[in-house]
Amino acid sequence: MVEGFLHHFNFGDFMFICPICKSKLNIEGKAYICENNHSFDIAKQGYVNLLPANKKHSDNPGDSKDMVLSRRAFLEGNYYHCFADKLVEIIDSIFANNQKISIADCGCGEGYYNGILERLKIGYELFGFDISKEAIRFAAGKYKKNKYAVGSCFNMPLVDESFDLALNIFAPMVEAEMSRILKKGGYMIYAVPGKRHLMGLKELLYESTYENDEKHTEYDGFQFVDRISVQKEITVDGEMGVNLFKMTPYYFKTELGAEEKIIKNNGFTTEIHFDFLIYRKK
């Protein structure tokens, strides 16, 4: 599929940058501090908030605590195990010749896929961020070996050209920022919904439905490597169906009553369909 490559990476390096002056942050005591003495306290769960107030579009952007809990309950129910298994397989294939790699999880949510990566055959250090403080609090509280920050995909709180792999799993794609943080020759894995992803949920909620677009997008500075699809059918009960619904963009777009419809229907059966788009930085 793809060929691995070797980068030297020093475990213990800190890859977060100051959101004010963009210089590298280092840990001093219970805070991250840059060379210009901008200081950011480390929360008790171990994460740091690097999202300035003037960069927020609301007081508490991103997923709420209720949405994060729903996401964790659904994902830990193992319904997406085929997706998780394939992600590990792809990364192990790409980096088969490596001993250690640096990973940036851009829009990591509550960290479920970070836990999955513990199955990797190679060593790694992971830096994850998400715009949702609630999601990062849960991720940092559970996956202690990783480093986490509250931050935005549009202004990633990460050091330039420092990562072997950047993950984007259903998060906003900002190609310039992806290119900035990756080393030359580094890989980007972009996970997107396939054509019939969650069609059963859509058929339950809406009178008319549509298949998702399946596009092949070129990104400046990247070479397209491969598209790998994963498809399966799952059945969920009413409670778990509501959890899944709360993970999707439909939660923000659907009229009131959707959750009651899922419960009344005692859940649903649906296709799940994911595409992994793999790119390499030129």
Side-chain angles (χ1 to χ4, degrees), residues 18 31 63 111 119 135-136 148 161 165 201 231 243 253 280:
C18 174
D63 290 350
R119 302 184 203 161
I136 288 297
Y148 290 103
E161 299 182 348
L165 173 64
L201 172 61
Q231 293 177 265
N243 287 334
K253 302 174 183 178
R280 191 174 188 182

Side-chain angles (χ1 to χ4, degrees), residues 6 11 26 31 33 87 106 108 132 138-139 145 168 175 178 203 209 212 215 221 231 238 265 267:
L6 183 63
F11 274 49
N26 291 292
I33 300 176
L87 178 61
C106 308
C108 65
S132 166
F138 275 82
K145 68 174 289 185
N168 182 313
E175 59 189 283
M178 283 290 197
E203 289 173 345
T209 60
N212 298 317
K215 298 184 292 184
Q231 293 177 265
N265 197 66

Side-chain angles (χ1 to χ4, degrees), residues 43-63:
K44 65 179 180 179
Q45 293 86 358
Y47 70 88
V48 60
N49 193 334
L50 301 177
L51 184 64
N54 62 358
K55 298 294 183 181
K56 294 182 180 181
H57 55 74
S58 66
D59 289 340
N60 294 293
D63 290 350

Side-chain angles (χ1 to χ4, degrees), residues 134-183:
E134 289 292 344
I136 288 297
R137 185 171 64 84
F138 275 82
K142 184 164 186 176
Y143 305 107
K144 301 291 188 180
K145 68 174 289 185
N146 306 321
K147 307 293 191 306
Y148 290 103
V150 181
S152 168
C153 288
F154 295 91
N155 293 282
M156 295 183 183
L158 300 172
V159 174
D160 292 359
E161 299 182 348
S162 295
F163 292 90
D164 300 303
L165 173 64
L167 299 176
N168 182 313
I169 301 177
F170 308 129
M173 169 55 69
V174 185
E175 59 189 283
E177 284 291 272
M178 283 290 197
S179 180
R180 179 182 66 78
I181 68 170
L182 278 171
K183 300 173 182 177

Side-chain angles (χ1 to χ4, degrees), residues 12 14 16 27 32 125-129 143 145-149:
F14 296 107
F16 290 134
I27 290 181
Y32 279 89
E125 190 160 45
L126 184 143
F127 290 77
F129 68 88
Y143 305 107
K145 68 174 289 185
N146 306 321
K147 307 293 191 306
Y148 290 103

Side-chain angles (χ1 to χ4, degrees), residues 21-48:
C21 65
K22 307 302 181 184
S23 59
K24 190 173 181 179
L25 291 167
N26 291 292
I27 290 181
E28 296 184 20
K30 296 182 179 181
Y32 279 89
I33 300 176
C34 73
E35 61 184 15
N36 295 311
N37 289 320
H38 299 127
S39 180
F40 305 89
D41 292 339
I42 298 173
K44 65 179 180 179
Q45 293 86 358
Y47 70 88
V48 60

Side-chain angles (χ1 to χ4, degrees), residues 2-13:
V2 288
E3 296 182 356
F5 68 104
L6 183 63
H7 274 308
H8 179 69
F9 178 67
N10 294 317
F11 274 49
D13 282 355

